[in-house]
């Protein structure tokens, strides 16, 4: 059997980065995009197993996202850990990609929620103030995404703990090479290949997002925006971003320490469960 025949028959990824949103998944995506070690989609988030409508695009469409490569396929889909919106993502992923290794980056839940609020603010026409938003459905969703135990429990029902790599966001930032080495080992790269991964690029930071005009973010989430993102090469999207990016960041509402304390209390019980689930301490967290 030739390599081309193997790639034509392949229909599922070797690994999936399933989250968390606003926790460094874009930086990790860009690191692998620059490498020649794995194949990643031209569009970062295929969301192939997210819903039946996405899956109905078919395996031929999915193969094309990885250019039918014979390299290991690594998909990046933070939406897979938005269980409150997409409750069947874990089951559908396991049904179609049971041998995929999973990677989840865990950031301080309060800091992640604050970052998602600012991200949503830049992508929406209006959003309640930080002191009011957590009494709304949008605010509740932001909190649910930061409840990592709740998000990952369905995955632990299907995958073994050895097949789910939990990455501490703080360690990823402070010791990127060591974490990249661990990720490479997890997805089965050879030691020599891991040495060539290089450093973790800075990407999609809050500061970067706030330098984009708000209409860019609002257009991004329209049906036209999703269509363009799904069919445009990454280099073209990056060129367009550079062309409209401003020198100064757009001001966004800030969180105060009182609100952060309130969020920490709301997230505490889940953080305890997540530590028990993973056996990790996350000593740098505020929760």
């Amino acid at each position: 059997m030739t390599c081309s025949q193997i790639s034509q028959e392949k229909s599922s990824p070797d690994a999936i980065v399933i989250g968390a949103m606003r926790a460094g998944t874009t930086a990790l995506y860009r690191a692998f995009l620059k490498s020649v070690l794995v194949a990643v989609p031209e569009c970062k988030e295929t969301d192939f197993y997210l819903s039946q409508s996405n899956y109905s695009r078919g395996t031929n469409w999915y193969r094309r996202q990885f250019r039918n490569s014979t390299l290991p396929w690594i998909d990046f889909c933070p939406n897979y850990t938005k269980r409150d919106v997409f409750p069947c993502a874990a089951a559908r992923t396991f049904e179609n990609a049971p041998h995929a290794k999973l990677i989840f980056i865990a950031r301080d839940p309060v800091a992640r929620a604050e970052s998602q609020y600012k991200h949503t603010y830049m992508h929406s026409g209006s959003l309640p103030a930080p002191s009011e938003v957590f009494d709304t459905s949008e605010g509740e969703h932001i909190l649910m995404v930061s409840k990592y135990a709740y998000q990952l429990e369905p995955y632990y029902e299907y995958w073994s703990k050895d097949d789910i790599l939990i990455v501490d966001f703080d360690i990823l930032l402070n010791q990127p090479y060591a974490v990249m080495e661990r990720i490479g080992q997890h997805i089965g790269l050879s030691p020599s290949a891991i040495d060539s991964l290089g450093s973790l690029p800075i990407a999609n930071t809050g500061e970067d997002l706030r330098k984009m005009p708000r209409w860019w973010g609002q257009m991004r989430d329209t049906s036209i925006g999703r269509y363009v993102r799904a069919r445009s090469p990454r280099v073209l999207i990056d060129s367009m971003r550079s062309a409209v990016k401003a020198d100064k960041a757009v001001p966004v509402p800030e969180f105060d320490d009182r609100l952060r304390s309130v969020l920490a209390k709301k997230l505490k019980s889940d953080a305890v469960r997540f530590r028990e689930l993973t056996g990790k301490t996350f000593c740098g967290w505020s929760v």
Side-chain angles (χ1 to χ4, degrees), residues 23-34 76 105 167-181 183 196-203 205:
T25 60
T26 299
L28 190 60
Y29 167 78
R30 289 183 181 275
F32 280 113
L33 181 65
K34 286 170 55 180
F76 289 76
I105 308 174
V167 175
D168 187 326
F169 175 80
D170 293 335
I171 299 177
L172 177 62
L173 292 184
N174 295 320
Q175 302 175 38
Y177 180 78
V179 175
M180 293 294 286
E181 183 177 36
I183 292 172
S196 66
L197 270 176
S199 60
L200 189 74
I202 297 174
T205 65

Side-chain angles (χ1 to χ4, degrees), residues 112-131:
R112 196 221 62 81
E114 181 173 354
S115 182
Q116 184 177 346
Y117 171 87
K118 293 177 178 179
H119 178 273
T120 305
Y121 178 87
M122 292 298 297
H123 286 73
S124 65
S126 62
L127 194 66
S131 60

Side-chain angles (χ1 to χ4, degrees), residues 62-229:
Y62 196 53
R63 287 192 195 98
R64 289 196 297 272
Q65 308 316 299
F66 299 93
R67 298 167 295 283
N68 287 314
S69 175
T70 57
L71 295 170
W73 295 2
I74 315 297
D75 208 347
F76 289 76
C77 302
N79 285 334
Y80 286 5
T81 44
K82 294 182 178 178
R83 178 184 171 190
D84 54 312
V85 181
F86 306 107
C88 298
R92 187 177 291 107
T93 301
F94 184 76
E95 180 181 352
N96 294 283
H99 303 297
K101 299 289 188 179
L102 304 184
I103 300 166
F104 182 81
I105 308 174
R107 182 179 183 180
D108 180 315
V110 174
R112 196 221 62 81
E114 181 173 354
S115 182
Q116 184 177 346
Y117 171 87
K118 293 177 178 179
H119 178 273
T120 305
Y121 178 87
M122 292 298 297
H123 286 73
S124 65
S126 62
L127 194 66
S131 60
E132 301 171 354
V133 71
F134 294 101
D135 293 324
T136 69
S137 58
E138 184 65 54
E140 180 62 23
H141 169 63
I142 291 172
L143 281 178
M144 295 305 292
V145 179
S146 275
K147 292 183 177 181
Y148 303 145
Y150 166 79
Q151 296 295 343
L152 287 182
E153 280 166 348
Y155 290 94
Y156 280 108
E157 291 180 10
Y158 294 108
W159 278 267
S160 72
K161 287 192 174 183
D162 289 341
D163 289 329
I164 304 176
L165 178 63
I166 305 298
V167 175
D168 187 326
F169 175 80
D170 293 335
I171 299 177
L172 177 62
L173 292 184
N174 295 320
Q175 302 175 38
Y177 180 78
V179 175
M180 293 294 286
E181 183 177 36
R182 181 68 189 90
I183 292 172
Q185 293 169 347
H186 183 65
I187 63 179
L189 296 181
S190 67
S192 59
I194 293 170
D195 287 339
S196 66
L197 270 176
S199 60
L200 189 74
I202 297 174
N204 208 35
T205 65
E207 184 74 9
D208 280 341
L209 288 176
R210 292 193 294 275
K211 287 183 178 180
M212 300 300 295
R214 291 191 72 185
W215 61 260
W216 173 274
Q218 293 163 19
M219 180 186 72
R220 180 181 182 275
D221 291 333
T222 64
S223 57
I224 294 176
R226 288 190 292 271
Y227 180 90
V228 170
R229 285 192 297 123

Side-chain angles (χ1 to χ4, degrees), residues 1-11 63 69-70:
M1 183 178 291
T2 67
C3 288
S4 61
Q5 287 174 316
I6 293 172
S7 65
Q8 285 297 322
E9 293 176 2
K10 186 174 181 177
S11 61
R63 287 192 195 98
S69 175
T70 57

